[in-house]
Amino acid sequence: MPLIVICAKNRSVALSPRQELLAIQKKLWRSNKALIDSSILVREPGFDSYEKSYRRAVSRFDRPADQEEMVRAVLGSGVIYVGDYHTCNQSQRSFLRILKAVVKIDRSFMVGLELLHKKHQATLDRYLSGRISEKTFLKRIRLEEHWVFDLWENFKPLFDFCRYHRVPMFAIDAAPDGSDVRRRDAATAKLLAGIMKRNPALRLFVLIGDLHLAPGHLPRDLKGELAKLGMERRHLTLFQNSEPIYWKLAEEGADERVEVVRLPDGNFCRMHTPPVVSQRSYLNWLEHEEGEIDYADAKASFLDLVVRLCDFLKIDIGGAGEEVEIFTCG
């Protein structure tokens, strides 16, 4: 691969293949970000400062860590917040891997999920106990109407896990429809405190959107609610895929081998998916695509990917794509 030379004033800088690839990733990330930002037609008051608070919390890391260190920290905590990027299935799979690691050591825990409203708790209990079918469960909770990210298949393995291991599961969205993020944090915190009071011997995992997990957001609200009840618990936050941290690791050539980093405040950030992949999962959802090859027409699906790449890389392959033959596992 030839080197790219960038001229800056009176000096030129040659980019290595890795630097060139990183520059392409950043360009694609900026392009995706512009598309995502343009898709948001209305931003609620105060959301920008709310988001900035989260980004400050994950702007830098202390050192690389590993899964074992993270699991030890989990086992030493009473409340574990796990950040979720709703449209990225690796986000939910990463959470499931954490639960599988913990259940081998200590089964005394419960799980709270943001995607369900508390009004559906009785229906959730019936589903987990096997008294109603999956089809009936989904019909009753009206997931597509309640939650904009109606990606049941991403979350179903979590329900299967909790059913199999008989792990208590709670619906933790507690605010009325139309509430802003701060009211949602406050309502969820109050609900979680009540759940913990009724189940004092169980460790609590909370899977919720990453932005809720800045220190001054849900964690602060829950600490306040627990203090009212005279309860003290150690809190731990597991963020995921911080963009500034990813770029720093990538610049150091460590992005492919570092899966977890420890933050300066003692929390952790899981690094399992590059930023552009997470963005693409959102854009696929936005476009109502599955992001998978259509094996019924594999050639058309493949050529669609080729066109996207060539457009981004400014490559003209002419009619060569039509000469390609595509073979799949089918």
Side-chain angles (χ1 to χ4, degrees):
M1 181 183 294
L3 297 183
I4 289 179
V5 178
I6 295 179
C7 296
K9 294 184 179 179
N10 296 322
R11 60 190 182 125
S12 62
V13 179
L15 298 182
S16 69
R18 164 168 280 277
Q19 291 171 324
E20 181 181 345
L21 179 60
L22 186 58
I24 291 173
Q25 283 192 62
K26 288 184 176 180
K27 182 178 179 181
L28 183 57
W29 176 80
R30 289 191 293 269
S31 175
N32 287 342
K33 187 176 185 303
L35 286 173
I36 292 172
D37 289 345
S38 67
S39 73
I40 303 173
L41 301 180
V42 178
R43 294 179 77 88
E44 65 183 58
F47 185 84
D48 288 343
S49 61
Y50 187 86
E51 184 178 31
K52 287 179 182 178
S53 179
Y54 156 75
R55 297 201 179 282
R56 284 195 298 272
V58 292
S59 61
R60 60 191 180 90
F61 67 99
D62 186 28
R63 57 176 174 79
D66 54 37
Q67 296 287 346
E68 289 75 17
E69 180 183 355
M70 184 183 72
V71 170
R72 287 196 300 271
V74 166
L75 293 172
S77 304
V79 184
I80 303 94
Y81 308 98
V82 181
D84 185 40
Y85 194 99
H86 305 312
T87 59
C88 181
N89 60 12
Q90 287 302 320
S91 178
Q92 296 84 44
R93 290 178 183 178
S94 175
F95 178 50
L96 183 58
R97 287 194 289 271
I98 294 170
L99 296 182
K100 287 181 176 179
V102 172
V103 79
K104 295 176 182 178
I105 305 170
D106 185 359
R107 293 173 174 263
S108 57
F109 62 86
M110 52 188 171
V111 172
L113 294 180
E114 179 190 18
L115 82 160
L116 295 177
H117 195 275
K118 67 176 184 178
K119 64 185 177 184
H120 295 303
Q121 185 63 49
T123 301
L124 173 59
D125 293 340
R126 293 188 184 96
Y127 174 61
L128 293 176
S129 65
R131 286 179 285 168
I132 60 175
S133 67
E134 178 182 320
K135 182 178 180 180
T136 300
F137 171 66
L138 293 177
K139 182 179 179 180
R140 291 184 180 178
I141 65 173
R142 298 158 66 185
L143 185 62
E144 293 185 9
E145 297 177 33
H146 165 67
W147 207 46
V148 64
F149 300 104
D150 54 338
L151 299 168
W152 168 246
E153 292 303 320
N154 286 16
F155 292 86
K156 183 179 182 299
L158 298 174
F159 290 80
D160 293 341
F161 173 89
C162 289
R163 287 182 70 173
Y164 180 81
H165 291 285
R166 297 183 179 180
V167 172
M169 182 177 275
F170 295 93
I172 64 170
D173 186 2
D177 290 342
S179 298
D180 62 24
V181 286
R182 293 302 295 128
R183 290 190 178 91
R184 288 168 57 197
D185 284 346
T188 294
K190 188 172 183 178
L191 176 65
L192 290 175
I195 292 172
M196 294 178 68
K197 183 179 181 180
R198 296 191 298 272
N199 302 274
L202 298 182
R203 180 178 292 110
L204 172 65
F205 284 91
V206 178
L207 181 67
I208 193 168
D210 253 346
L211 268 61
H212 294 284
L213 299 184
H217 298 169
L218 177 61
R220 182 183 66 185
D221 290 352
L222 181 52
K223 287 177 182 178
E225 292 294 337
L226 291 176
K228 295 176 185 177
L229 299 175
M231 299 176 64
E232 291 187 6
R233 295 289 186 276
R234 181 180 177 186
H235 296 242
L236 180 71
T237 300
L238 308 181
F239 295 101
Q240 67 167 341
N241 304 321
S242 159
E243 291 156 2
I245 292 175
Y246 175 82
W247 299 129
K248 179 63 175 176
L249 291 172
E251 289 167 1
E252 297 174 354
D255 53 307
E256 294 183 0
R257 56 183 171 81
V258 175
E259 296 182 0
V260 183
V261 296
R262 187 179 175 92
L263 304 182
D265 61 4
N267 291 313
F268 293 85
C269 186
R270 300 162 294 140
M271 306 299 298
H272 52 75
T273 305
V276 292
V277 176
S278 295
Q279 288 177 320
R280 191 65 246 176
S281 75
Y282 176 83
L283 292 171
N284 285 342
W285 168 81
L286 198 64
E287 297 164 4
H288 300 284
E289 296 177 355
E290 293 298 326
E292 301 285 349
I293 291 290
D294 178 3
Y295 291 105
D297 190 2
K299 184 170 182 176
S301 296
F302 174 77
L303 291 178
D304 178 62
L305 296 175
V306 170
V307 168
R308 293 188 189 191
L309 286 170
C310 290
D311 180 64
F312 176 73
L313 296 172
K314 304 294 190 292
I315 296 174
D316 182 7
I317 60 171
E322 295 305 317
E323 302 174 12
V324 173
E325 288 186 83
I326 304 298
F327 298 88
T328 74
C329 58

